[in-house]
């Protein structure tokens, strides 16, 4: 879900300006289509400028938005007649009809927001790097390290570690991990998660295996290590819980588990 800012002078709710907006799950805020409104405009992922009734004013507003230095995508909302006069120097990122369907509007919003994110990622060389404690996961090169040591992981082991490291401390059930890492179209059982967790812990090594913590009868989480060290009582308890859970879930080696 994105936060959208609709700039319009129409005395109507956003669903009347663009009916498709009412069918999408985005958060929509409305401000007058005036330059002064930009001074107190809240943060948003995308701007919609209503040019259905005052196309010249919408053109000037789009150009003004660009002079502020913001890189937030701007979608200009027009009528079919307006399509014949819009030009690239107006400063908008895309043009959309006010009568477009929800699928088209959603696609245009998604593409505009993703283009901006891609530009930010290209400008920041570490944007694709996930750091949690001593674990460093590089999405661009599909490599993972714990301290100075590079881990030799299969694709699913890498995806599992990446997902858990992105959400340190949050507990995920086995079913949630299957959906997030393996996908909704995967029909294997939750034992697959246990198999991959055991392999991942083995590759992390004895000193770091507790980074993948077990929450009894619930699932797994990524645990940032205590600054008090490996002899800390909480760490010892986590090891004991992990060992008990692993023993309870011990299964024969799965022939179909991805390597």
């Amino acid at each position: 879900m994105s936060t959208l800012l609709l700039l319009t002078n129409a005395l109507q709710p956003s669903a009347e300006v663009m009916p498709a907006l009412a069918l999408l799950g985005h958060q929509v805020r409305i401000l007058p289509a005036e330059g002064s409104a930009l001074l107190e405009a809240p943060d948003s992922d995308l701007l919609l400028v209503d040019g259905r009734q005052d196309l010249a004013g919408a053109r000037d507003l789009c150009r003004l938005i660009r002079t502020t230095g913001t890189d937030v995508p701007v979608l200009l909302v027009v009528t079919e007649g307006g399509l014949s006069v819009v030009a690239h120097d107006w400063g908008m990122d895309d043009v959309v009809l006010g009568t477009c369907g929800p699928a088209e509007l959603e696609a245009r919003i998604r593409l505009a927001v993703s283009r901006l994110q891609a530009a930010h990622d290209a400008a920041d060389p570490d944007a694709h790097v996930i750091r949690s404690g001593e674990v460093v996961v590089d999405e661009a090169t599909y490599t993972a390290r714990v301290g100075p040591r590079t881990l030799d992981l299969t694709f699913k082991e890498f995806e599992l570690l990446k997902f858990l490291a992105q959400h340190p401390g949050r507990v995920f059930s086995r079913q949630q991990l299957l959906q997030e890492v393996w996908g909704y179209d995967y029909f294997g059982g939750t034992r697959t998660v246990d198999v991959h967790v055991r392999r991942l812990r083995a590759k992390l090594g004895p000193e770091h295996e507790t980074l993948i913590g077990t929450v009894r009868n619930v699932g797994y989480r990524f645990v940032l290590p205590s600054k008090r060290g490996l002899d800390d009582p909480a760490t010892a308890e986590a090891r004991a819980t992990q060992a008990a859970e692993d023993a309870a879930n011990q299964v024969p080696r799965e022939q179909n588990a991805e390597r």
Side-chain angles (χ1 to χ4, degrees):
M1 181 180 72
S2 299
T3 299
L4 311 181
L5 185 60
L6 174 59
L7 302 177
T8 178
N9 288 325
L11 299 178
Q12 299 171 308
S14 60
E16 295 296 327
V17 177
M18 293 196 73
L21 279 177
L23 302 176
L24 302 178
H26 303 293
Q27 181 180 4
V28 182
R29 298 176 179 176
I30 300 178
L31 286 178
E34 302 170 358
S36 59
L38 299 175
L39 298 176
E40 299 181 358
D43 292 337
S44 59
D45 299 310
L46 181 138
L47 298 177
L48 289 161
V49 177
D50 184 9
R52 298 171 305 147
Q53 298 178 355
D54 183 5
L55 191 56
R59 175 200 60 196
D60 295 340
L61 182 58
C62 288
R63 289 173 172 170
L64 178 61
I65 291 171
R66 286 301 172 228
T67 64
T68 65
T70 181
D71 57 358
V72 175
V74 177
L75 263 63
L76 177 60
V77 183
V78 298
T79 61
E80 288 191 13
L83 290 175
S84 62
V85 296
V86 293
H88 72 280
D89 63 349
W90 286 21
M92 72 285 181
D93 295 274
D94 202 354
V95 180
V96 62
L97 289 175
T99 56
C100 73
E104 178 183 350
L105 180 59
E106 176 65 24
R108 291 180 183 274
I109 292 172
R110 184 179 68 253
L111 291 173
V113 172
S114 62
R115 280 196 296 267
L116 177 60
Q117 184 60 52
H120 286 173
D121 290 347
D124 182 3
D126 289 332
H128 51 78
V129 177
I130 301 165
R131 303 177 189 274
S132 288
E134 292 189 73
V135 173
V136 179
V137 178
D138 190 329
E139 295 182 272
T141 61
Y142 279 90
T143 58
R145 302 194 316 273
V146 54
R149 179 167 60 90
T150 299
L151 302 176
D152 182 16
L153 304 178
T154 66
F155 176 74
K156 287 303 182 186
E157 290 167 355
F158 174 86
E159 290 293 313
L160 179 59
L161 178 62
K162 180 186 76 173
F163 181 77
L164 290 172
Q166 283 177 316
H167 308 87
R170 181 176 172 183
V171 180
F172 294 93
S173 68
R174 293 167 176 80
Q175 188 61 44
Q176 286 176 312
L177 291 173
L178 274 180
Q179 293 174 353
E180 296 291 343
V181 178
W182 278 263
Y184 285 93
D185 57 347
Y186 180 77
F187 295 103
T190 56
R191 293 291 190 183
T192 298
V193 177
D194 297 326
V195 170
H196 281 75
V197 166
R198 286 201 300 274
R199 292 176 179 172
L200 188 53
R201 283 171 173 163
K203 293 181 179 181
L204 287 169
E207 293 185 357
H208 302 283
E209 61 182 7
T210 53
L211 289 174
I212 310 299
T214 298
V215 179
R216 190 184 298 274
N217 298 325
V218 181
Y220 300 103
R221 65 175 177 171
F222 189 89
V223 181
L224 291 176
S226 169
K227 295 181 179 180
R228 291 175 289 182
L230 295 175
D231 294 330
D232 174 60
T235 303
E237 181 181 355
R239 286 179 179 275
T241 300
Q242 170 186 313
E245 187 75 10
D246 288 346
N249 289 307
Q250 188 69 35
V251 293
R253 187 181 186 91
E254 293 190 10
Q255 299 298 324
N256 295 327
E258 181 179 343
R259 301 177 183 278

